[in-house]
């Protein structure tokens, strides 16, 4: 192919300038952020210069001062930074998209790593979004430099002349357009400084009053901060919120520069997990409240601050670009959060456990949604258990990872365990079967029964646990999760009395008698009656009957209800397990056998037996709903006691 012509693409300033002024930035208000950032950069540059041989004088306290002149419709921003010579004004201001940042950082790189905010060479021009006239008065730090005055009315024409300015630094003065008069209001200007510049490392004043709070704790080393510092910062960011439970301080230079503090808030039922509340900063300048791309979705309910100069922002610093880097930063943040949790698990289980009720929900949500995170946290997912476990010894490097389960408090607090530990502990009795409870109040009787026979039950009662149980089943395909009321472990049943004959004339076993008694009395085709003798050291405290809901059928029903956005109905198909070892049931059997039929064909004791069967069934149903744990337990026990007494009286 023959090359016909080569050349440079040209731009007509007259055409492109309005685009830069009007369309590059989404919000007009960000002009203030840009001009203050330029002032901060100028001050940082002065700091760098002062560390080199070039400058021997003393630096006064750095500051940026804003002033409003309502009469002249002007707002000005003055810094005592590096200033500009006439040549520099021509180079950096008159040439659009020309930033001094790269050149400067390269020249003074030995003078520490002061972060420079600007690098596109465009920010200054955002002032034309709101101003009809922009002026610069500037005096460079350079020896013999003369002060310069530059002005431009937004056309491509500018004017440079001398200035009366005697102090080093730069003043940018904007004469505002009619419709931008809001920036002459002190309150509005203060609010903008607070929003965008609160944590910039230079005092920003409106008149004599310093507006920004200046300290950016996330830039500090974690070892310099106390618990109170973290809590105070949280209160500053979210004044109306309860104290957070836990926080993660990100502080790394490699592979990305990421600083930040992420807090795990206390979970509230109305929390919107899709709406992020983490603030995104770039070099301490506020960018946005929307961290969606930078924070993995499962960490969105966290609060706090992320600051990274590696986050690829577009020129307006309001949008993210470059998916790949953003995704890597997001993965990196997830990893850091996982690391912190692991560290806490290892070093301070007491705190880990005391915040688990809330933090656990985030961690489970994360494990479900992010495979890498799951791998990181799978060994530190813990569950409250009915087992009485000894507290773990304080972690040492040798004992790391070897602890069995442990308690929140050495003195009688609930015990917590990992799934692995649970399965290992119960391998002999019920290999690969996990008994769980997801409603402590309504399943109290069942939990008690399991506990009394030394069967360990896990509490999976957080709102995320329904999903999480299904997730665990997919992860551990050999393991079955059975709710305490779904079926009974073999070890709870006493098979020895099964064949005991109670009626020599009919050869009926006690089991048969009781089964047919309940079937006849309850007359419910959807109800399956199952009779078993439950093992117990004290039958009076064991339940006379209990309703069993098969795990898979119950879950299917719950799923359907969820899909149709309805409340879960109690399944009509269920099993009534009647405890043939309970004195109430035994008395009931004797009562029904001793029926004396009266002339009208009715039997008093038969009728009583009928009522009591019904009552026993009702009680079993009630044990599934309502009441708190204690209330339910005592109601059930008391009712059964009364009924036992009643049947005793009636039978003798
Ligand atoms: N207050 C100031 N003091 C000294 N130099 C300044 C000041 N404001 C601007 N400059 C010079 O003008 C250049 C261009 O500024 P401009 O705001 O357009 O872009 P930037 O800050 O470099 O980059 P960005 O577009 O990313 O903000 C700066 O790089 C700096 O050299």
């Amino acid at each position: 192919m023959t090359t016909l012509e080569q050349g440079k693409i040209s731009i007509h300033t007259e055409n492109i300038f309005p685009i830069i002024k009007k369309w590059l930035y989404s919000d007009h208000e960000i002009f203030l952020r840009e001009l203050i950032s330029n002032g901060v950069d100028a001050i940082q540059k002065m700091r760098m210069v002062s560390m080199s041989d070039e400058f021997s004088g003393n630096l006064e306290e750095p500051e940026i001062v804003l002033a409003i002149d309502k009469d002249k419709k002007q707002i000005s921003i003055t810094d005592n930074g590096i200033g500009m010579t006439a040549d520099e004004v021509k180079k950096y201001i008159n040439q659009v998209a020309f930033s001094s940042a790269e050149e400067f950082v390269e020249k003074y790189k030995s003078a520490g790593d002061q972060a420079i905010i600007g690098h596109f060479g465009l920010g200054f021009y955002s002032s034309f979004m709101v101003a009809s006239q922009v002026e610069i008065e500037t005096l460079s730090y350079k020896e013999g430099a003369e002060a310069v005055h530059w002005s431009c009315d937004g056309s491509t024409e500018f004017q440079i002349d001398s200035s009366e300015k005697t102090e080093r630094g730069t003043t940018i003065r904007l004469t505002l357009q009619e419709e931008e008069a809001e920036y002459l209001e002190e309150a509005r200007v203060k609010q903008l400084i607070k929003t965008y510049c609160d944590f910039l490392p230079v005092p920003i004043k409106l008149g004599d009053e310093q507006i920004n709070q200046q300290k950016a704790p996330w830039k500090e080393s974690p070892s310099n901060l106390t618990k109170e510092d973290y809590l105070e910062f949280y209160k500053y960011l979210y004044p109306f919120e309860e104290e957070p439970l836990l926080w993660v301080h990100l502080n790394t230079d490699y592979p990305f520069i990421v600083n930040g503090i992420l807090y795990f808030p206390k979970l509230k039922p109305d929390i919107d997990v899709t709406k992020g509340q983490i603030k995104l900063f770039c070099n301490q300048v506020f960018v946005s409240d929307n961290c969606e791309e930078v924070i993995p979705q499962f960490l969105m309910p966290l609060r706090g601050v992320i600051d990274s100069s590696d986050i690829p922002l577009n020129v307006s610093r309001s949008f993210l670009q470059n998916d790949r880097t953003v995704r890597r930063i997001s993965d990196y943040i997830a990893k850091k959060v996982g690391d912190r949790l692991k560290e806490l698990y290892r070093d301070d289980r007491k705190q880990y456990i005391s915040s688990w009720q809330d933090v656990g929900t985030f961690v489970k949500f994360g494990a479900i949604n992010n495979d890498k995170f799951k791998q990181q946290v799978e060994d530190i997912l813990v569950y409250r258990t009915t087992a009485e476990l000894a507290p773990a010894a304080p972690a040492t490097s040798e004992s790391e990872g070897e602890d069995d389960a442990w308690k929140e408090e050495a003195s009688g607090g609930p015990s917590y365990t990992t799934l692995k530990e649970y399965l290992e502990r119960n391998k002999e009795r019920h290999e690969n079967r996990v008994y769980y409870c997801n409603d402590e109040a309504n399943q109290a009787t069942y939990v008690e029964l399991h506990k009394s026979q030394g069967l360990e039950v896990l509490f999976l009662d957080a709102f995320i646990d329904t999903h999480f149980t299904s997730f665990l089943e997919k992860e551990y395909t050999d393991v079955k999760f059975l709710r305490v009321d779904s079926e009974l472990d073999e070890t709870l049943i006493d098979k020895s009395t099964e064949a005991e004959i109670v009626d020599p004339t009919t050869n009926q076993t006690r089991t048969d008698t009781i089964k047919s008694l309940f079937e006849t009395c309850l007359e419910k085709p959807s109800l399956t009656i199952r009779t078993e003798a439950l093992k117990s050291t004290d039958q009076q405290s064991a339940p006379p009957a209990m309703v069993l809901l098969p795990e898979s059928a119950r879950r299917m029903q719950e799923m359907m209800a969820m899909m149709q956005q309805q409340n879960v109905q109690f399944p009509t198909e269920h099993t009534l397990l009647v405890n043939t070892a309970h004195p109430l049931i035994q008395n009931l059997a004797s009562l029904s056998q001793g029926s004396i039929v009266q002339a009208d064909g009715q039997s008093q004791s038969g009728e009583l037996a009928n009522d009591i069967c019904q009552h026993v069934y009702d009680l079993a149903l009630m044990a599934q709903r309502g009441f708190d744990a204690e209330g339910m337990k005592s109601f059930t026990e008391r009712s059964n006691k009364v009924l036992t007494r009643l049947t005793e009286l009636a039978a003798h």
Side-chain angles (χ1 to χ4, degrees), residues 34 38 42 79 84 92 99-100 118-124 170 317:
E34 292 300 317
N38 282 351
D79 66 71
M84 285 180 275
Y92 300 124
S99 173
S100 67
H119 63 272
F120 292 114
L122 290 164
F124 171 76
T170 304
R317 275 185 266 275

Side-chain angles (χ1 to χ4, degrees), residues 25 34-35 37-43 45 77 79 81-84 88 92-93 95 97-101 116-125 136 138 169-172 315 317:
Y25 299 92
E34 292 300 317
L35 296 180
S37 304
N38 282 351
V40 173
D41 280 350
I43 286 168
K45 287 175 184 168
I77 298 108
D79 66 71
I82 196 166
M84 285 180 275
E88 284 165 339
Y92 300 124
I93 300 294
Q95 297 194 73
F98 208 81
S99 173
S100 67
I116 300 296
I117 302 163
H119 63 272
F120 292 114
L122 290 164
F124 171 76
Y125 283 93
I136 303 174
T138 181
T170 304
T171 297
I172 311 286
V315 272
R317 275 185 266 275

